[in-house]
Amino acid sequence: MKVIKNVLMILGVFFVGSTLIFAVQNQYSETAMLVEESQPKTNDGEETGYRITAIEIPEDLNFAGEPVPFEDPEIMERVDREFLVNTYWQSNALLLMKRANKFFPIIEPILAKNGIPDDFKYLALAESGLQNVVSPAGATGFWQIMSATGKEYGLEINSNVDERYHVEKSTEVACRYLKRSKDKFGSWTLAAAAYNAGAGGIQKYMGIQKADGYYDLLLGEETGRYVFRILAIKEILSNPEKYGFHIEKEDMYTAVPTFNVEINEPVSNFADFANQYEINYKILKRHNPWLREPHLNNSSRKTYTIEIPNKGYYKISK
């Protein structure tokens, strides 16, 4: 009798275990089917959802019309690195696209007027992300201009005013600097590299290494990646959907229309000045970041042009 009880107990445990295993397997199968069904597919069954893949590099990649030597495998790897980094850093790429829509219309005609290739607008993106940032070395503004260089090219830089933050004026200085580098090195690609490392630095590397092209030089980490990063940014922003970016026109940042006000005397309080035009100090600074303090000494009675946004674009709390 005891043996029969033991046999029945074993059979019961086996039956319960089999039932549980079947239930788990069935649940897993149903879940897998749901997951499979939830993946968007094309008519031929291919999944169309988000996928991480290698990047196909365009064969005609160039900077300012100067081709990239793809026959060199080391160059190809460096290009590939920047395409991967800048494609899959999606939040940054989207911000660059949005800011470019706002500021490229200001930068492009200044480049064209000065005979600088249009590709150099992507240099400004690589330098600052089109933000008025300051580097650890003190380079400032969209074009990351050092104080000494800015003053050399005629920008006003003091506690009251810093025209490195003035988009139009700093772009003019960048054009003159790039043109001088192009005349020195004979290449727009080297001119771009010299913008990052300095003309003296590039000249030094060329002398030591007895090489006369950017792609033949062994440079520091930042300058060595610099042109390749510009190339990647240029290609991605020029063909966003090719790289998986879908952004509507209404998602872009746009410039607020403004009118100009000229002043040729001191301003004791820019908050009061702003109130005269039904804006606040924050908005005044947003459109005139080159004004560095809440007042303007202007002892020389120099004439300054201040941008004031048209009415109706900002809501000011009273």
Side-chain angles (χ1 to χ4, degrees):
M1 188 69 179
K2 187 176 181 180
V3 172
I4 294 173
K5 285 182 178 179
N6 288 338
V7 170
L8 289 173
M9 184 180 295
I10 292 171
L11 289 172
V13 170
F14 176 77
F15 176 77
V16 171
S18 300
T19 303
L20 289 171
I21 291 171
F22 176 78
V24 170
Q25 288 179 334
N26 188 53
Q27 182 179 11
Y28 177 81
S29 299
E30 289 177 355
T31 303
M33 289 174 65
L34 287 171
V35 171
E36 183 178 356
E37 289 174 0
S38 69
Q39 296 294 329
K41 296 181 179 181
T42 59
N43 292 333
D44 59 4
E46 182 183 352
E47 292 183 3
T48 60
Y50 180 78
R51 295 182 299 164
I52 298 174
T53 64
I55 305 296
E56 183 179 348
I57 310 298
E59 294 182 359
D60 61 347
L61 202 63
N62 70 85
F63 178 74
E66 300 173 0
V68 179
F70 279 126
E71 63 275 7
D72 185 331
E74 189 263 349
I75 297 298
M76 188 61 187
E77 287 185 18
R78 291 163 71 187
V79 171
D80 189 54
R81 173 186 181 176
E82 299 308 321
F83 267 76
L84 287 169
V85 168
N86 288 281
T87 297
Y88 288 115
W89 188 7
Q90 296 99 329
S91 59
N92 185 65
L94 283 170
L95 283 170
L96 294 184
M97 292 175 195
K98 288 170 176 276
R99 294 185 195 131
N101 190 72
K102 180 178 180 179
F103 292 109
F104 275 2
I106 299 172
I107 293 171
E108 288 166 345
I110 299 174
L111 295 177
K113 181 187 71 173
N114 286 279
I116 303 297
D118 192 62
D119 281 0
F120 278 93
K121 65 190 180 188
Y122 300 105
L123 182 147
L125 271 177
E127 281 286 340
S128 65
L130 295 180
Q131 299 181 95
N132 279 315
V133 294
V134 180
S135 77
T140 298
F142 283 15
W143 293 95
Q144 290 290 276
I145 298 171
M146 296 295 289
S147 179
T149 303
K151 290 178 180 177
E152 178 187 349
Y153 283 88
L155 293 181
E156 182 179 352
I157 301 172
N158 54 52
S159 61
N160 265 186
V161 171
D162 190 338
E163 292 182 329
R164 292 177 294 174
Y165 292 95
H166 194 294
V167 179
E168 290 89 347
K169 291 184 179 182
S170 62
T171 303
E172 290 282 355
V173 167
C175 287
R176 290 167 60 194
Y177 187 94
L178 290 165
K179 189 176 291 185
R180 188 167 77 173
S181 293
K182 171 61 162 58
D183 291 341
K184 182 178 181 66
F185 296 111
S187 158
W188 286 118
T189 307
L190 278 173
Y195 196 91
N196 181 257
I202 295 298
Q203 190 73 56
K204 177 183 176 182
Y205 282 119
M206 292 173 70
I208 293 172
Q209 299 176 29
K210 301 187 185 304
D212 57 6
Y214 174 80
Y215 299 106
D216 296 318
L217 288 169
L218 177 63
L219 301 167
E221 173 75 6
E222 183 179 341
T223 310
R225 294 182 63 181
Y226 190 67
V227 171
F228 295 98
R229 183 169 179 236
I230 295 170
L231 289 166
I233 291 171
K234 168 192 169 183
E235 171 63 18
I236 294 165
L237 266 66
S238 299
N239 304 284
E241 292 194 2
K242 177 181 176 182
Y243 298 95
F245 294 96
H246 301 274
I247 185 167
E248 302 296 333
K249 187 175 181 180
E250 57 267 25
D251 296 324
M252 295 291 196
Y253 300 153
T254 56
V256 170
T258 62
F259 60 94
N260 293 331
V261 172
E262 292 189 345
I263 57 172
N264 56 9
E265 54 188 32
V267 176
S268 60
N269 190 306
F270 272 121
D272 292 337
F273 179 89
N275 287 337
Q276 297 176 35
Y277 297 96
E278 299 180 26
I279 58 174
N280 58 28
Y281 179 71
K282 181 186 76 171
I283 294 171
L284 180 73
K285 281 294 301 278
R286 176 180 172 86
H287 286 271
N288 302 274
W290 52 275
L291 295 171
R292 303 310 298 164
E293 293 184 312
H295 61 273
L296 181 66
N297 296 332
N298 200 11
S299 56
S300 64
R301 298 298 194 271
K302 178 179 176 180
T303 298
Y304 293 93
T305 301
I306 296 180
E307 286 190 5
I308 304 295
N310 291 355
K311 290 182 179 181
Y313 284 88
Y314 295 102
K315 183 178 181 180
I316 308 300
S317 300
K318 298 298 184 182

